[in-house]
Amino acid sequence: TKVLAHDDGVISSRTATVGTVMQNGSEMFRLIRKGKMEWRAELPEQLLQQVRIGQKVSLHLSKAEKIHGSVARISPVIDMQTRNGTVYVGLPPAKSIRAGMFAQGELELGKSDALTVPQSAVVIRDGFSYVFKVVKDNRVEQVKVSTGRRQGDRIEITGGIKPDAIIVALGA
């Protein structure tokens, strides 16, 4: 029997062997159509709502190699056990990409400006956050602040000081 594919591509797996009688409808070959690769990412349902088709994605294949793709489609189904949904990211042709390999990716879900200070500049007393602001004559003044997000060793300041304030970064 002659087996023909409907499209050009690369065969990534083969379950058929010479002499085997295949059942009707069973998979014989797996074809990567036109050599196009995609990355499947599982995201929690809360984050999935922020993802849009066409959104840019950075993919880390190794410490040294990084490629960029874009969201091609979003699965309409959420896994009942994990509460995760799948995002499919189309990738550009690259010799280093192999089917089944592990990659870590980043999607930019939002951007906002923020006033941040080093974590060492914030002192917590009696359940409130404070920073020490430099005032006249190089004196310091304790100022109560509102804090927000944390990333690495930086803390977002959402209220209490102005962006041009000079604060004590160490030894607070």
Short mmCIF file of all heavy atoms in Angstrom, two decimals, residues 87-115:
data_model
loop_
_atom_site.label_atom_id
_atom_site.label_comp_id
_atom_site.label_asym_id
_atom_site.label_seq_id
_atom_site.Cartn_x
_atom_site.Cartn_y
_atom_site.Cartn_z
N VAL A 87 -1.58 27.01 26.23
CA VAL A 87 -1.33 28.06 25.24
C VAL A 87 -0.35 27.48 24.23
O VAL A 87 0.65 26.86 24.61
CB VAL A 87 -0.71 29.31 25.91
CG1 VAL A 87 -0.29 30.33 24.87
CG2 VAL A 87 -1.69 29.92 26.90
N TYR A 88 -0.63 27.64 22.96
CA TYR A 88 0.24 27.13 21.89
C TYR A 88 0.98 28.30 21.26
O TYR A 88 0.36 29.25 20.78
CB TYR A 88 -0.59 26.39 20.83
CG TYR A 88 -1.30 25.18 21.39
CD1 TYR A 88 -2.58 25.30 21.92
CD2 TYR A 88 -0.68 23.94 21.41
CE1 TYR A 88 -3.24 24.19 22.44
CE2 TYR A 88 -1.33 22.83 21.94
CZ TYR A 88 -2.61 22.96 22.45
OH TYR A 88 -3.26 21.87 22.97
N VAL A 89 2.31 28.22 21.28
CA VAL A 89 3.15 29.30 20.78
C VAL A 89 3.87 28.83 19.52
O VAL A 89 4.58 27.84 19.53
CB VAL A 89 4.19 29.71 21.86
CG1 VAL A 89 5.13 30.77 21.32
CG2 VAL A 89 3.49 30.17 23.12
N GLY A 90 3.65 29.55 18.42
CA GLY A 90 4.32 29.26 17.17
C GLY A 90 5.76 29.71 17.22
O GLY A 90 6.06 30.80 17.71
N LEU A 91 6.68 28.85 16.75
CA LEU A 91 8.11 29.15 16.82
C LEU A 91 8.69 29.30 15.42
O LEU A 91 8.25 28.64 14.48
CB LEU A 91 8.85 28.03 17.55
CG LEU A 91 8.38 27.75 18.98
CD1 LEU A 91 9.10 26.54 19.54
CD2 LEU A 91 8.59 28.97 19.85
N PRO A 92 9.71 30.14 15.27
CA PRO A 92 10.36 30.28 13.97
C PRO A 92 11.23 29.06 13.69
O PRO A 92 11.61 28.35 14.62
CB PRO A 92 11.23 31.54 14.15
CG PRO A 92 11.54 31.55 15.61
CD PRO A 92 10.32 31.00 16.28
N PRO A 93 11.54 28.80 12.43
CA PRO A 93 12.42 27.67 12.13
C PRO A 93 13.79 27.87 12.78
O PRO A 93 14.37 28.94 12.69
CB PRO A 93 12.54 27.70 10.60
CG PRO A 93 11.47 28.59 10.12
CD PRO A 93 11.11 29.51 11.23
N ALA A 94 14.25 26.85 13.47
CA ALA A 94 15.58 26.90 14.10
C ALA A 94 16.11 25.48 14.20
O ALA A 94 15.38 24.56 14.55
CB ALA A 94 15.49 27.53 15.49
N LYS A 95 17.38 25.31 13.89
CA LYS A 95 17.99 23.98 13.91
C LYS A 95 18.10 23.41 15.32
O LYS A 95 18.16 22.22 15.52
CB LYS A 95 19.37 24.02 13.26
CG LYS A 95 19.30 24.26 11.77
CD LYS A 95 20.67 24.24 11.15
CE LYS A 95 20.55 24.48 9.65
NZ LYS A 95 21.84 24.44 8.99
N SER A 96 18.14 24.28 16.31
CA SER A 96 18.32 23.82 17.69
C SER A 96 17.03 23.34 18.35
O SER A 96 17.07 22.75 19.42
CB SER A 96 18.93 24.95 18.53
OG SER A 96 18.09 26.08 18.47
N ILE A 97 15.88 23.57 17.72
CA ILE A 97 14.60 23.14 18.29
C ILE A 97 14.31 21.70 17.87
O ILE A 97 14.37 21.37 16.70
CB ILE A 97 13.45 24.04 17.82
CG1 ILE A 97 13.70 25.49 18.22
CG2 ILE A 97 12.13 23.57 18.40
CD1 ILE A 97 12.68 26.46 17.64
N ARG A 98 14.00 20.87 18.85
CA ARG A 98 13.66 19.47 18.60
C ARG A 98 12.32 19.17 19.26
O ARG A 98 12.03 19.66 20.35
CB ARG A 98 14.72 18.53 19.18
CG ARG A 98 16.10 18.75 18.64
CD ARG A 98 16.25 18.05 17.30
NE ARG A 98 17.60 18.16 16.80
CZ ARG A 98 17.96 18.99 15.82
NH1 ARG A 98 17.07 19.77 15.25
NH2 ARG A 98 19.20 19.04 15.40
N ALA A 99 11.54 18.33 18.62
CA ALA A 99 10.26 17.92 19.17
C ALA A 99 10.49 17.19 20.48
O ALA A 99 11.36 16.32 20.58
CB ALA A 99 9.51 17.03 18.19
N GLY A 100 9.74 17.56 21.51
CA GLY A 100 9.82 16.90 22.81
C GLY A 100 10.83 17.50 23.77
O GLY A 100 10.91 17.08 24.91
N MET A 101 11.59 18.49 23.33
CA MET A 101 12.60 19.06 24.23
C MET A 101 11.96 20.01 25.24
O MET A 101 10.85 20.50 25.03
CB MET A 101 13.71 19.77 23.45
CG MET A 101 13.33 21.09 22.81
SD MET A 101 14.62 21.81 21.76
CE MET A 101 15.92 22.13 22.91
N PHE A 102 12.65 20.25 26.35
CA PHE A 102 12.17 21.13 27.40
C PHE A 102 12.62 22.56 27.10
O PHE A 102 13.74 22.79 26.69
CB PHE A 102 12.71 20.71 28.76
CG PHE A 102 12.32 21.65 29.87
CD1 PHE A 102 11.06 21.57 30.45
CD2 PHE A 102 13.19 22.62 30.31
CE1 PHE A 102 10.69 22.44 31.45
CE2 PHE A 102 12.82 23.50 31.31
CZ PHE A 102 11.57 23.41 31.88
N ALA A 103 11.72 23.50 27.33
CA ALA A 103 12.05 24.92 27.20
C ALA A 103 11.25 25.70 28.23
O ALA A 103 10.17 25.29 28.63
CB ALA A 103 11.71 25.41 25.79
N GLN A 104 11.80 26.81 28.65
CA GLN A 104 11.12 27.68 29.60
C GLN A 104 10.81 28.97 28.89
O GLN A 104 11.65 29.51 28.18
CB GLN A 104 12.04 27.94 30.80
CG GLN A 104 11.41 28.78 31.87
CD GLN A 104 12.33 28.94 33.07
OE1 GLN A 104 13.40 28.36 33.14
NE2 GLN A 104 11.91 29.73 34.01
N GLY A 105 9.59 29.47 29.07
CA GLY A 105 9.19 30.67 28.36
C GLY A 105 8.65 31.76 29.25
O GLY A 105 8.31 31.52 30.41
N GLU A 106 8.59 32.96 28.70
CA GLU A 106 8.06 34.11 29.41
C GLU A 106 7.07 34.84 28.52
O GLU A 106 7.37 35.13 27.37
CB GLU A 106 9.19 35.08 29.77
CG GLU A 106 10.22 34.52 30.70
CD GLU A 106 11.42 35.45 30.88
OE1 GLU A 106 11.44 36.53 30.26
OE2 GLU A 106 12.31 35.10 31.66
N LEU A 107 5.91 35.13 29.08
CA LEU A 107 4.91 35.94 28.41
C LEU A 107 4.79 37.23 29.19
O LEU A 107 4.72 37.21 30.42
CB LEU A 107 3.53 35.27 28.42
CG LEU A 107 3.32 34.10 27.50
CD1 LEU A 107 3.59 32.82 28.22
CD2 LEU A 107 1.90 34.14 27.01
N GLU A 108 4.77 38.35 28.51
CA GLU A 108 4.60 39.62 29.21
C GLU A 108 3.11 39.87 29.33
O GLU A 108 2.42 40.14 28.35
CB GLU A 108 5.27 40.75 28.43
CG GLU A 108 5.28 42.04 29.18
CD GLU A 108 6.04 43.11 28.45
OE1 GLU A 108 7.26 42.98 28.30
OE2 GLU A 108 5.39 44.07 28.01
N LEU A 109 2.59 39.77 30.54
CA LEU A 109 1.16 39.90 30.76
C LEU A 109 0.73 41.32 31.10
O LEU A 109 -0.45 41.63 31.11
CB LEU A 109 0.71 38.95 31.89
CG LEU A 109 0.93 37.47 31.61
CD1 LEU A 109 0.51 36.64 32.80
CD2 LEU A 109 0.16 37.05 30.37
N GLY A 110 1.68 42.16 31.35
CA GLY A 110 1.34 43.55 31.65
C GLY A 110 2.58 44.33 32.02
O GLY A 110 3.59 43.76 32.42
N LYS A 111 2.49 45.61 31.89
CA LYS A 111 3.59 46.49 32.19
C LYS A 111 3.05 47.70 32.91
O LYS A 111 1.99 48.23 32.54
CB LYS A 111 4.23 46.96 30.88
CG LYS A 111 5.69 46.78 30.77
CD LYS A 111 6.16 47.33 29.46
CE LYS A 111 7.48 46.71 29.09
NZ LYS A 111 8.02 47.21 27.87
N SER A 112 3.74 48.14 33.94
CA SER A 112 3.35 49.37 34.61
C SER A 112 4.58 49.98 35.27
O SER A 112 5.50 49.27 35.65
CB SER A 112 2.26 49.10 35.66
OG SER A 112 2.76 48.29 36.70
N ASP A 113 4.57 51.28 35.36
CA ASP A 113 5.65 51.97 36.04
C ASP A 113 5.45 51.82 37.54
O ASP A 113 4.31 51.80 38.02
CB ASP A 113 5.66 53.45 35.67
CG ASP A 113 6.06 53.66 34.21
OD1 ASP A 113 6.82 52.83 33.69
OD2 ASP A 113 5.61 54.65 33.62
N ALA A 114 6.53 51.72 38.27
CA ALA A 114 6.43 51.57 39.72
C ALA A 114 7.62 52.23 40.39
O ALA A 114 8.73 52.22 39.87
CB ALA A 114 6.38 50.09 40.09
N LEU A 115 7.36 52.82 41.54
CA LEU A 115 8.41 53.37 42.37
C LEU A 115 8.86 52.24 43.28
O LEU A 115 8.06 51.69 44.03
CB LEU A 115 7.86 54.54 43.21
CG LEU A 115 8.79 55.12 44.27
CD1 LEU A 115 10.05 55.69 43.63
CD2 LEU A 115 8.06 56.18 45.07
#
